[in-house]
Amino acid sequence: MLVKFIIVGLLIAIVASLMTSMVFLVRDDSQRRRTLTGLKIRVALSITLLLFVLLSWQQGWIHPHALLPRAAPTTPAH
């Protein structure tokens, strides 16, 4: 359950960083490059999320699942 909270937290942080960068792009007239810094943070968070998901999968903490459930295999009657 902790893994899912970490993944959701990273996703929320990525969206927050993207929104912050958008606000800086639209409203900030200074030369401080806050938009660029926000986008760098978003890229770093995205890479961290990807690596964490791969590590979680490798360690067996999370498991992939199909979008559509598979039918149970049937055994032939003898």
Side-chain angles (χ1 to χ4, degrees), residues 2 4 6-7 9 15 19 21 25 28 30-33 35 37 40 45-46 48 57 64-65 67 71-73 77:
L2 178 64
K4 292 179 184 178
I6 292 172
I7 290 172
V15 171
M19 293 299 162
S21 297
L25 179 66
D28 193 16
S30 69
Q31 298 295 323
R32 293 180 53 193
R33 296 182 177 227
T35 302
T37 303
K40 287 179 187 178
L45 287 169
S46 298
T48 303
W57 175 64
H65 64 279
L67 292 176

Side-chain angles (χ1 to χ4, degrees), residues 59-78:
Q59 295 296 321
W61 300 334
I62 59 173
H63 302 285
H65 64 279
L67 292 176
L68 300 174
R70 287 192 252 170
T74 58
T75 58
H78 289 116

